[in-house]
Amino acid sequence: MIRSIMRTIEFLKQPSETATKDDLSIAQDLMDTLKAHKDECVGMAANMIGETKRIIAFDDSGKYTVMFNPRILKADDAFKTEEGCLSLVGVRPAKRYKSIKVQYENEAFQTRIKTYKGFTAQIIQHEMDHLEGIII
């Protein structure tokens, strides 16, 4: 189901809770909402649709991916950039890393570890900031 985009800063500042198998429908709504906004958005966190769960969805070079409970294990090659967000107005400065190693759970809640680089790594970092309640 496509959901409305959350724009209330106080809500977006709340850290997210651990996601469980009971949250699979939230992940589906997140994916549906991301695809509905594909022309203006490449990634979303669950709090952007009003859910404080540790779930992100993103476009990985044309393949949509969902991660439950992601965490960065390693980050290399820091750089400064500016980013926009569907939940916020304008662009803001952000510190990102060109390469990140992420541990997460897939839709079957199997633990996975993968290294991402470039723009996909930047998207994941942006969405993970949302999970921590960080407003860029």
Side-chain angles (χ1 to χ4, degrees):
M1 171 175 68
I2 298 168
R3 301 237 208 135
S4 298
I5 302 300
M6 172 61 66
R7 291 188 168 85
T8 305
I9 297 296
E10 292 76 27
F11 181 86
L12 294 170
K13 284 184 174 181
Q14 296 178 57
S16 296
E17 302 168 5
T18 300
T20 67
K21 290 180 181 179
D22 292 336
D23 300 316
L24 286 169
S25 64
I26 295 171
Q28 184 60 58
D29 289 353
L30 187 62
M31 188 66 76
D32 292 345
T33 306
L34 175 59
K35 288 178 180 178
H37 291 276
K38 67 181 178 185
D39 292 337
E40 56 195 345
C41 186
V42 291
M44 286 188 163
N47 66 351
M48 292 176 67
I49 61 168
E51 301 284 351
T52 54
K53 292 294 185 169
R54 296 187 65 80
I55 308 168
I56 65 172
F58 58 95
D59 180 348
D60 183 6
S61 302
K63 178 184 176 242
Y64 288 97
T65 301
V66 173
M67 290 181 173
F68 294 85
N69 306 311
R71 64 186 183 104
I72 295 174
L73 301 176
K74 184 178 179 186
D76 292 312
D77 208 2
F79 69 100
K80 292 185 181 193
T81 188
E82 289 187 341
E83 297 174 348
C85 181
L86 203 56
S87 290
L88 305 170
V89 175
V91 295
R92 296 154 194 243
K95 178 183 175 183
R96 298 291 179 228
Y97 295 89
K98 291 181 182 176
S99 176
I100 57 172
K101 181 186 252 184
V102 182
Q103 178 179 309
Y104 64 96
E105 294 166 320
N106 63 16
E107 291 94 338
F109 280 81
Q110 299 164 320
T111 300
R112 298 287 184 250
I113 297 175
K114 185 171 180 181
T115 298
Y116 292 89
K117 297 179 183 295
F119 188 54
T120 303
Q122 186 177 347
I123 296 166
I124 293 168
Q125 291 168 80
H126 177 103
E127 302 316 328
M128 289 182 67
D129 277 357
H130 276 292
L131 301 181
E132 301 304 326
I134 296 169
I135 305 294
I136 61 164

